[in-house]
Amino acid sequence: MKVFKFGGSSMCDARSVELVRQIIESQDKPCIAVVSAFEGVTNQLLALAQQAVQRDEQYKSGIQSIAGLHFDVVNTLVPAGSRPSVLAEVQRLLCEYEDTLCGLFLLQDMTPKTHARILSVGVRLAAFVLSHIVRGARYYDTAKLIRTDSGYLDAKIDFEESNRRILGEFSLLRHTTILPGFIAGNRNDNITNLGQRGADYVAAAIAAALNASELTLWMNVDGFMTADPEIIPKAQPIEYLTYSEAIELSHFGASVIFSPTIRPVYEKNIPLYIRNTFNPAAAGTLINNKVPSRDNLRIKGVSSIEKISLLSLQGTGLIGLTSVSARFFKVLSDHKINIIMVTQASSEYSITIAVRPEEAEEAIEALNREFYPKISAEGEIKLRVETDLSVLAIVGERMRNTPGISATLFRSLARNGISVIATAQGSSELNISLVIRHSDLRKALNAVHEGFFLSNYKELHLFLVGVGNVGKSLLQQLQIQLDNLMNDLRLKINLVGIANSRKMYVSPTAIEPATYAEVLDKKGETFSIESFMEHIFALNLRNSVFIDCTGNDRVAAAYGKLFEHYISVVTANKIACSSEYSLYKSLKESSKEHGVRFMFETNVGAGLPVINTINDLIRSGDHILKIEAVLSGTLNFILNVLSEDIPMSQAIRLAKEKGFSEPDPRLDLSGADVVRKLTILARESGYPVEKEDIAIQPFLPADCFEGTLDDFWKKAEMLDADFEIRRKKVAEQNKKWRFIAILDNGKASVSLQNVDNKHPSYELEGSNNIVMLTTARYFEQPMVIKGYGAGAEVTAAGVFADVIRVANV
């Protein structure tokens, strides 16, 4: 025999009720179906009752709304021959309910007995209507079947008497039977209520009494999920759970099942299924006492209790004091305080419990009274209270005796800057429970879920500042690669923040990269780096990456604060890494301390793998002795196009037109940019170099860099003839000009040099860069890295590659 329970989410309208009918009628033998009220109806019934108590006559119109829903289902699904009688009974039950509300309106009071009767109306209506929709079904009143104590709300089941009645009525089930859920009756035949999720409990009690072959709870989800899908959209159905795992997940907030539901079927070892009414083909979740050997998941799920308070009794007065724990827990039990989690120091210095916030004040008062002499007079014990907290728990039978579970858990939290306030793990090793700040809960759940590979992909959340040439190109590349990254690397990249020099926009959901301009225009607010960071910190997403595609010093100054909030930084902005050595060093140390990445490969050579190569050499034990490099794509382009037909001033203009130079080309021509790049390479090579330590021979005379940009162009044209004379002399010697940066055993310089055809940079074309590394290992023949060293696309590609490296940590 099978027992089904259909929740309110499965009974929301005529379409869903038709699906319920199909499921029940598809069974080859009669079954028992326990149903909840149509979705939202029980809450409506109670709300109208409270309106009536307050003498708000609007309650009358609310009754019509409830009637309309039921009439629609009846008129749509009940066979025409039965329809008039069914409509009449629905009307009778609603009139009875309306009479009750009239009484409440007059008395302005609602007793527990009346309260329980009002709550029964919705489930009685739903069960009666369904019994006339399902072919060959009959209706049976649960209040005549399940016996409880004398309490009207949250009544306790008398299992001995209830089991006797259930066996007497259903031991030989000849007809499919529909019963209303969560109601029962006391010995005086008054309706009682079993409280929250009581319909599940009724179904489990019936299944246990009848030794049913299975109990299936039909819902609107594909099974027990690895986490709450509203918080973690990539949560997946769990195929198998043990009873213990299901109870633990339910205790720690998983709302799929009411944990007392499991106990009756657990005692009889009855398989419990969680299945989806709207997707009956899905396997759902099977809960029993043993999972198949092929199920190798160590952790089954991540669950949480959103709000708790932490109470700690601590102090030297506890040490060696007998019966403290007994007194502590007895006083809480006497006041019916539900303890969610317990942890105690082995030194006996403290006892800590987690309780629900609404029970915290009563618990504090009770503990203060019990331990008053020690707390007040002697001061040997202190009662400490912390609020705005949450509990996160991981659950899994197979983490028992499996090394590394705790390490993965705490590492996932630490990488995202989440502090653990308290922790508990039983000797059964079935779960590990942590208390964290409530503000960190969503971030923590996602981080832990991802950390245990319960997700089949990883997510990064990007915040991009700067949508000029490089930033725009990055967004274009990102748009093209989104699907490939998901398919090939199982990496989902979400652009959640975007800013230019004027506007910014931050969203908890992903922004389509192709629409960034429209989003900024329509939804953006005035930009400042301070407010942009406030939005980032408030959003508090795990795996966050800040991308700087500006040349702005205020943006660069924000990196330290970002690291403190456990946010990785990927930057094409050279300012931070080439400013004072002390700042560079502190940023590198801070990123390591907080377990996040500081990626700046594109600071030198655009997309060329220069910095990463140096890092790999040093990590493998090599030592950088000398660097010789052409690091300015702009200057190399200018020097390559100089000819008898193209004078120097025109070559500079060409570089600007092609996007190789800054809008003000003097920034490139001064050599300052090359100095910054060489500073960074020197530091990454292990030399504490300052920019001021680098000797520089400018490309142009000093007076070219004075005055306005118009003044510069005039002066540049005046130098054309002189440059052409010098160029010819160099060409006659079969040499070429190269603006070369050199680091030799810690001493650095940049200058214009003549190179012959044996020099590796001689054939360097266009705006290409070249870097030659002489190391302890590459001594006779330097390592050469060569390629495009300028341009928005290659720089953006380098930034993109750094983002991928962050994901691969």
Side-chain angles (χ1 to χ4, degrees), residues 100 129 169 212 280 283 403 443 462 478 558 577 627 640 652 712-713 723 732 782 804:
T100 302
V129 169
E169 187 64 37
K443 184 179 182 181
L462 308 187
L478 181 59
C577 290
I627 297 175
N640 274 330
I652 297 172
F712 163 75
W713 289 117
F723 260 83
E732 287 169 0
I804 303 302

Side-chain angles (χ1 to χ4, degrees), residues 504-529:
M504 64 181 184
Y505 179 68
V506 175
S507 169
T509 56
I511 303 164
E512 193 75 16
T515 66
Y516 81 91
E518 182 183 357
V519 167
L520 279 177
D521 182 54
K522 292 183 177 179
K523 299 181 180 180
E525 57 184 277
T526 302
F527 170 76
S528 75
I529 187 58

Side-chain angles (χ1 to χ4, degrees), residues 171-182:
S171 57
L172 295 174
L173 188 65
R174 295 183 176 87
H175 303 281
T176 290
T177 304
I178 314 295
L179 297 94
F182 82 67

Side-chain angles (χ1 to χ4, degrees), residues 419-491:
S419 298
V420 176
I421 296 165
T423 181
Q425 180 177 13
S427 59
S428 66
E429 296 187 71
L430 181 60
N431 83 74
I432 302 175
S433 312
L434 309 173
V435 176
I436 59 175
R437 296 287 170 204
H438 175 64
S439 58
D440 286 330
L441 179 60
R442 180 177 290 269
K443 184 179 182 181
L445 286 168
N446 278 277
V448 171
H449 191 273
E450 197 166 82
F452 280 103
F453 304 104
L454 294 171
S455 311
N456 59 10
Y457 61 90
K458 187 172 184 177
E459 278 187 286
L460 286 186
H461 298 95
L462 308 187
F463 300 88
L464 171 63
V465 180
V467 288
N469 291 336
V470 174
K472 189 184 300 182
S473 185
L474 174 63
L475 290 169
Q476 291 169 350
Q477 293 174 21
L478 181 59
Q479 182 71 56
I480 293 168
Q481 284 296 109
L482 286 177
D483 290 341
N484 292 335
L485 290 172
M486 176 60 86
N487 294 333
D488 298 340
L489 300 181
R490 307 308 298 161
L491 175 62

Side-chain angles (χ1 to χ4, degrees), residues 589-769:
E589 290 175 349
S590 181
S591 65
K592 289 178 184 176
E593 179 186 343
H594 292 92
V596 293
R597 302 299 298 273
F598 182 26
M599 309 296 290
F600 46 91
E601 178 64 77
T602 54
N603 279 195
V604 180
L608 293 178
V610 179
I611 291 174
N612 278 314
T613 300
I614 290 173
N615 293 160
D616 289 344
L617 289 169
I618 292 173
R619 290 190 194 106
S620 66
D622 207 345
H623 182 63
I624 309 297
L625 302 175
K626 181 180 179 180
I627 297 175
E628 188 174 356
V630 173
L631 298 174
S632 173
T634 305
L635 290 177
N636 202 55
F637 174 83
I638 292 169
L639 296 174
N640 274 330
V641 300
L642 271 177
S643 67
E644 191 173 348
D645 298 323
I646 302 176
M648 189 268 295
S649 62
Q650 187 179 342
I652 297 172
R653 289 185 186 276
L654 282 172
K656 182 181 177 183
E657 289 169 8
K658 290 183 177 293
F660 292 132
S661 80
E662 297 291 337
D664 183 347
R666 290 177 295 181
L667 296 174
D668 297 289
L669 296 168
S670 68
D673 189 57
V674 176
V675 168
R676 285 187 180 277
K677 292 176 180 178
L678 185 56
T679 301
I680 294 167
L681 291 184
R683 290 172 175 179
E684 289 296 289
S685 300
Y687 300 98
V689 170
E690 299 284 3
K691 293 193 302 291
E692 295 75 16
D693 298 335
I694 298 176
I696 179 171
Q697 177 189 319
F699 183 69
L700 295 174
D703 65 340
C704 287
F705 303 98
E706 298 171 358
T708 66
L709 187 56
D710 288 336
D711 293 335
F712 163 75
W713 289 117
K714 291 174 184 176
K715 292 174 183 177
E717 289 171 2
M718 293 170 62
L719 294 170
D720 283 347
D722 179 59
F723 260 83
E724 177 56 19
I725 293 170
R726 292 166 57 193
R727 184 197 67 77
K728 283 182 177 179
K729 287 182 179 179
V730 173
E732 287 169 0
Q733 298 172 36
N734 197 27
K735 292 182 178 181
K736 292 182 180 180
W737 272 333
R738 294 289 179 254
F739 197 72
I740 294 180
I742 296 176
L743 173 74
D744 194 351
N745 283 314
K747 295 189 180 296
S749 64
V750 296
S751 62
L752 186 64
Q753 295 187 19
N754 304 334
V755 299
D756 59 26
N757 58 10
K758 294 181 181 179
H759 196 278
S761 69
Y762 183 82
E763 297 294 345
L764 198 63
E765 298 176 350
S767 62
N768 288 1
N769 282 191

Side-chain angles (χ1 to χ4, degrees), residues 199-493:
D200 292 4
Y201 200 22
V202 166
I206 293 172
L210 297 171
N211 276 316
S213 59
E214 68 177 62
L215 168 63
T216 302
L217 306 183
W218 291 92
M219 304 181 180
N220 63 346
V221 292
D222 282 341
F224 226 114
M225 308 296 281
T226 52
D228 183 348
E230 291 188 7
I231 298 175
I232 304 175
K234 54 187 175 181
Q236 306 159 34
I238 305 169
E239 193 172 0
Y240 302 103
L241 283 173
T242 64
Y243 294 119
S244 299
E245 288 171 333
I247 289 170
E248 288 291 321
L249 285 168
S250 300
H251 174 74
F252 287 104
S255 59
V256 172
I257 194 169
F258 182 47
S259 54
T261 300
I262 301 171
R263 294 192 183 102
V265 292
Y266 171 56
E267 290 169 359
K268 294 291 187 75
N269 194 24
I270 295 170
L272 171 59
Y273 290 89
I274 310 294
R275 298 186 64 187
N276 192 344
T277 304
F278 303 95
N279 185 20
T285 299
L286 168 60
I287 303 170
N288 59 14
N289 64 356
K290 189 176 181 181
V291 297
S293 58
R294 66 178 181 275
D295 179 38
N296 57 7
L297 287 176
R298 296 171 301 165
I299 301 301
K300 290 298 185 66
V302 184
S303 194
S304 66
I305 298 174
E306 189 169 357
K307 289 193 176 181
I308 60 107
S309 294
L310 208 60
L311 310 183
S312 298
L313 199 64
Q314 60 186 45
T316 55
L318 295 176
I319 300 173
L321 190 63
T322 59
S323 304
V324 169
S325 295
R327 290 169 59 192
F328 183 83
F329 291 112
K330 183 178 185 303
V331 70
L332 295 171
S333 174
D334 290 346
H335 287 79
K336 295 182 169 56
I337 304 297
N338 179 37
I339 299 173
I340 296 167
M341 185 181 116
V342 181
T343 181
Q344 182 172 12
S346 59
S347 63
E348 300 181 332
Y349 181 77
S350 67
I351 304 173
T352 300
I353 61 166
V355 300
R356 297 195 181 275
E358 59 268 22
E359 296 181 337
E361 188 173 340
E362 184 180 355
I364 292 165
E365 290 177 0
L367 290 169
N368 271 320
R369 284 194 300 270
E370 179 68 20
F371 293 98
Y372 178 80
K374 292 282 184 182
I375 292 174
S376 178
E378 301 172 25
E380 293 181 357
I381 298 177
K382 293 180 181 179
L383 182 59
R384 186 163 164 257
V385 182
E386 293 182 79
T387 58
D388 295 322
L389 304 175
S390 298
V391 173
L392 179 151
I394 59 170
V395 174
E397 291 262 14
R398 293 198 171 167
M399 69 180 183
R400 185 181 296 120
N401 300 322
T402 303
I405 298 292
S406 294
T408 301
L409 172 62
F410 288 104
R411 185 168 57 247
S412 298
L413 296 173
R415 280 178 176 170
N416 288 277
I418 298 164
S419 298
V420 176
I421 296 165
T423 181
Q425 180 177 13
S427 59
S428 66
E429 296 187 71
L430 181 60
N431 83 74
I432 302 175
S433 312
L434 309 173
V435 176
I436 59 175
R437 296 287 170 204
H438 175 64
S439 58
D440 286 330
L441 179 60
R442 180 177 290 269
K443 184 179 182 181
L445 286 168
N446 278 277
V448 171
H449 191 273
E450 197 166 82
F452 280 103
F453 304 104
L454 294 171
S455 311
N456 59 10
Y457 61 90
K458 187 172 184 177
E459 278 187 286
L460 286 186
H461 298 95
L462 308 187
F463 300 88
L464 171 63
V465 180
V467 288
N469 291 336
V470 174
K472 189 184 300 182
S473 185
L474 174 63
L475 290 169
Q476 291 169 350
Q477 293 174 21
L478 181 59
Q479 182 71 56
I480 293 168
Q481 284 296 109
L482 286 177
D483 290 341
N484 292 335
L485 290 172
M486 176 60 86
N487 294 333
D488 298 340
L489 300 181
R490 307 308 298 161
L491 175 62
K492 184 180 181 184
I493 292 185

Side-chain angles (χ1 to χ4, degrees), residues 85-101:
S85 61
V86 175
L87 287 170
E89 179 62 13
V90 170
Q91 187 65 58
R92 186 192 70 76
L93 287 170
L94 287 172
C95 286
E96 183 182 285
Y97 168 66
E98 186 171 11
D99 290 343
T100 302
L101 296 196

